Amino acid sequence: GESVGLHLPTLSVQEGDNSIINCAYSNSASDYFIWYKQESGKGPQFIIDIRSNMDKRQGQRVTVLLNKTVKHLSLQIAATQPGDSAVYFCAENVRNYGQNFVFGPGTRLSVLP
Amino acid sequence: DVKVTQSSRYLVKRTGEKVFLECVQDMDHENMFWYRQDPGLGLRLIYFSYDVKMKEKGDIPEGYSVSREKKERFSLILESASTNQTSMYLCASSSTGTGNQPQHFGDGTRLSIL
């Protein structure tokens, strides 16, 4: 079945460095992707999304890259700050699968002082 | 901003009890979802609803039921709670707009079944 996975379960970065969090997806029919951030004790928070007709989208300090050839999604966080420490996970929506998403297990990002 | 409110942040119940988890959203969203979140397993869909009075089973519906009597409210019911239902429960909503729409989540209910 469809699956969304992450290459690294944990990632530690120095404050001020850039972070890259990766996600592999298996369903070539997926056409919409979201990155969520989940801080301890809170629900997932929408960060940025991208549709399959794009390969890059930028937000404030975040960039999402989509490589449909290898079914890979990445989230880049510029100048990582302590407030960026959280679990990040990607979600994919399969075309014609309605409003439902498949979620990855998440990567924990730790920002070191 | 979208606001999804789950009635309890923490809940402790006993095995065999009937448990109700409530979720309310204030953005007039058509779609609502219930997930459970367990370490290493990600979010797993229990039930969802695309309209009032409508419900559909997700990936793990066994032991659960739902109710959607009003558009803004989606309730998750554990008919007879068991210890393997100890988990974090997350409610989400989304609109049925043009194209894909993101889901917006509440802060979760951490449920412990003793």
Side-chain angles (χ1 to χ4, degrees), chain A residues 31-32 34 36 38 41-46 49 51 89 93-94 97-101 103-106, chain B residues 9 31 33 35 37 40 42-43 45 48 50 59 90 94-96 99-107:
Chain A
D31 63 353
Y32 179 56
I34 299 176
Y36 286 95
Q38 187 174 21
K42 294 187 178 181
Q45 176 187 3
F46 171 90
D49 59 0
R51 304 185 192 282
F89 55 89
N93 179 248
V94 179
Y97 189 46
Q99 301 294 329
N100 294 14
F101 284 81
F103 294 86
Chain B
R9 293 298 303 276
N31 314 310
F33 308 83
Y35 297 90
Q37 185 178 35
L43 294 174
L45 182 63
F48 61 99
Y50 285 170
D59 300 320
L90 289 163
S94 70
S95 68
T96 305
N100 311 96
Q101 299 294 325
Q103 292 185 10
H104 300 272
F105 287 85
D107 280 337

Side-chain angles (χ1 to χ4, degrees), chain A residues 4-80:
Chain A
V4 176
L6 292 170
H7 294 164
L8 297 173
T10 60
L11 178 65
S12 296
V13 298
Q14 292 292 138
E15 183 177 352
D17 286 354
N18 297 335
S19 302
I20 300 176
I21 301 171
N22 297 302
C23 177
Y25 64 96
S26 59
N27 196 324
S28 57
S30 294
D31 63 353
Y32 179 56
F33 305 86
I34 299 176
W35 278 102
Y36 286 95
K37 173 186 181 183
Q38 187 174 21
E39 297 175 273
S40 180
K42 294 187 178 181
Q45 176 187 3
F46 171 90
I47 301 174
I48 192 168
D49 59 0
I50 189 168
R51 304 185 192 282
S52 59
N53 61 351
M54 305 170 69
D55 54 20
K56 181 179 180 179
R57 190 164 189 223
Q58 289 184 291
Q60 188 177 16
R61 282 201 307 117
V62 295
T63 300
V64 55
L65 299 178
L66 176 62
N67 186 329
K68 294 181 287 294
T69 302
V70 295
K71 296 198 281 290
H72 184 266
L73 191 69
S74 69
L75 177 70
Q76 300 178 2
I77 304 174
T80 311

Side-chain angles (χ1 to χ4, degrees), chain B residues 1 7 13 20 37 51 53-54 57 86-87 89 91 97 103 114:
Chain B
D1 280 350
S7 55
K13 297 292 183 181
F20 293 85
Q37 185 178 35
D51 200 354
K53 305 282 188 181
M54 178 268 184
K57 293 180 179 180
T86 292
S87 186
Y89 289 87
C91 175
Q103 292 185 10
L114 305 180

Side-chain angles (χ1 to χ4, degrees), chain B residues 20-40:
Chain B
F20 293 85
L21 302 183
E22 305 289 344
C23 175
V24 176
Q25 49 93 5
D26 66 356
M27 284 302 293
D28 202 36
H29 283 172
E30 294 81 7
N31 314 310
M32 297 190 75
F33 308 83
W34 274 107
Y35 297 90
R36 61 178 286 175
Q37 185 178 35
D38 300 289

